[in-house]
Amino acid sequence: MANKPEQFPVFTPLDKETIQKMLTKIASYLHNISDIIKVDYKKIDTSMDIIYEIIERVEKRRIYFYIYYDGCRMGEINEGALLCFWIIKLAPFHCNGISNNVLNAKIALCLFMNMLHYHTGKENQKLIIAENVINDIYYAFRFRDLSKESIMILAESLIK
């Protein structure tokens, strides 16, 4: 087993298939964005450079999980939580008339909730989250200093 930095391979640029797979997943989590945030999605500009950086950071974390948790694979919940974290931090979305902080927090919340609904639906579980909890999550996404791990544990705790 490797335990020295030079024994690990250097992270290389992602292949087009990995990027496209993640772009498709992000789009599926944001399928109802216009209805949720009450803004026509066509008016939202997206920095694809930042989206690619987000995807790369998620993939690096996937490798981290594998290496440091003895072959453990990062699940969809953690992946979705990481997407939310990086959307909040890197703010890839912009729209005239809406502050970037507000817009990206709303988009992250939409992705977060849709990811939870998707996961629980796939697992034949029910997801019931009170509106005040959703409002608290939105507030936290906007104003609190959340870590990747805190968003991961929040997501996991809401479905168990």
Side-chain angles (χ1 to χ4, degrees):
M1 293 189 79
N3 63 10
K4 294 186 176 29
E6 61 274 3
Q7 294 174 330
F8 289 92
V10 174
F11 190 85
T12 58
L14 297 171
D15 60 273
K16 289 179 182 177
E17 182 182 335
T18 301
I19 292 170
Q20 189 56 50
K21 184 179 172 186
M22 189 62 84
L23 287 172
T24 301
K25 186 175 284 191
I26 292 168
S28 73
Y29 286 149
L30 296 176
H31 70 278
N32 59 347
I33 192 69
S34 292
D35 296 333
I36 300 298
I37 68 171
K38 308 297 185 229
V39 172
D40 182 3
Y41 74 90
K42 294 174 189 168
K43 294 182 180 180
I44 299 172
D45 293 323
T46 305
S47 168
M48 291 311 291
D49 288 341
I50 295 175
I51 293 293
Y52 293 141
E53 183 176 344
I54 289 170
I55 292 169
E56 184 176 278
R57 288 174 183 258
V58 170
E59 291 305 314
K60 285 179 179 179
R61 189 63 173 211
R62 188 181 316 282
I63 292 167
Y64 171 88
F65 266 71
Y66 186 80
I67 292 171
Y68 294 103
Y69 294 102
D70 295 326
C72 179
R73 303 223 181 262
M74 182 171 66
E76 289 177 343
I77 296 168
N78 287 339
E79 180 182 278
L82 283 171
L83 289 170
C84 293
F85 174 82
W86 289 117
I87 288 170
I88 294 164
K89 291 294 181 193
L90 299 178
F93 302 104
H94 308 280
C95 184
N96 287 336
I98 303 174
S99 118
N100 283 349
N101 177 275
V102 169
L103 178 65
N104 284 280
K106 285 183 177 183
I107 290 173
L109 179 63
C110 178
L111 189 146
F112 186 79
M113 296 306 299
N114 284 338
M115 176 267 303
L116 292 176
H117 282 287
Y118 173 79
H119 181 77
T120 54
K122 194 172 88 172
E123 299 292 324
N124 291 324
Q125 298 169 317
K126 291 202 187 251
L127 180 66
I128 301 171
I129 302 175
E131 187 174 339
N132 67 317
V133 173
I134 295 170
N135 292 336
D136 289 347
I137 294 169
Y138 171 67
Y139 180 87
F141 281 4
R142 283 201 58 207
F143 299 111
R144 300 206 189 267
D145 186 21
L146 300 173
S147 68
K148 294 179 276 302
E149 293 78 11
S150 66
I151 298 174
M152 288 177 184
I153 197 71
L154 173 64
E156 290 174 9
S157 67
L158 289 171
I159 61 170
K160 290 186 177 182

